[in-house]
Amino acid sequence: MIRASRLPLYGFVLGALVLSGAVAQAQQSSMTVDPALAKQGKSLFQKKGCNGCHTIGKGRMAGPDLMGVTNRRTGEWLKRWIKAPDLMYDSDSIAKALIADFAQLAKMPNLHLSDAEVDALVNYLAQESQKKH
Ligand code: HEC
């Protein structure tokens, strides 16, 4: 009898644990933004022509709307993709799904960016993605 009455408590504790795990994961994916890098990223986004194929929060063009992209992908994935998308076309399952959805016109080209430029761009995308939540 005593045990049975404790069951709902166990359920509650278990639920709370699962929930706190989910919260931890959500926090992990929203990265800390370096404002100086984000500023560089903003000008690179224009200078390197990202804005020719992408908006951030204004809908899809040749490529996906990048609003929230730092919440739906890891920083590590984004860096690899922006650096060399062509190396992921055939091997990465997320890339394959994106290409199936978007590559009617063009696949995202390899823009030969440096690691520092990629880092700045990811900071900019994170900053923009965190603005409207
Ligand atoms: C010629 C058009 C074009 C240019 C220029 C371009 N992209 Fe893309 N981008 C795409 C397309 C198309 C996709 C979707 C995958 C595919 O089909 O290759 C994509 C996908 C992405 C993704 C993944 C989006 C998601 O939902 O996961 C990111 C991030 C991204 N681009 C960032 C950039 C950045 C940063 C630049 C500038 C350095 C850039 N892109 C330049 C066309 C472009």
Side-chain angles (χ1 to χ4, degrees):
M1 282 307 275
I2 291 167
R3 275 195 191 158
S5 70
R6 278 194 179 166
L7 272 179
L9 181 67
Y10 289 139
F12 175 77
V13 170
L14 200 70
L17 279 176
V18 169
L19 200 68
S20 66
V23 169
Q25 214 168 24
Q27 280 169 346
Q28 215 172 36
S29 68
S30 71
M31 40 176 291
T32 322
V33 173
D34 177 328
L37 281 180
K39 204 173 158 201
Q40 284 174 29
K42 185 177 182 178
S43 78
L44 284 168
F45 197 78
Q46 323 258 327
K47 216 164 78 185
K48 299 291 177 180
C50 315
N51 61 347
C53 294
H54 295 283
T55 75
I56 306 178
K58 298 202 169 76
R60 66 193 261 172
M61 298 202 295
D65 186 336
L66 298 181
M67 177 56 76
V69 75
T70 50
N71 304 326
R72 59 179 187 264
R73 313 278 179 239
T74 64
E76 194 264 339
W77 187 92
L78 285 169
K79 282 180 191 170
R80 268 199 306 144
W81 173 260
I82 295 169
K83 178 95 181 170
D86 51 335
L87 299 182
M88 292 163 76
Y89 293 156
D90 301 322
S91 59
D92 182 272
S93 60
I94 297 173
K96 282 198 245 178
L98 280 171
I99 285 167
D101 199 7
F102 281 93
Q104 298 92 338
L105 298 171
K107 286 181 189 167
M108 177 158 150
N110 184 328
L111 294 163
H112 303 286
L113 305 174
S114 69
D115 288 344
E117 288 171 327
V118 170
D119 202 27
L121 281 161
V122 172
N123 270 270
Y124 173 57
L125 293 176
Q127 184 188 65
E128 294 306 297
S129 296
Q130 285 167 18
K131 266 185 192 166
K132 298 186 185 171
H133 279 285

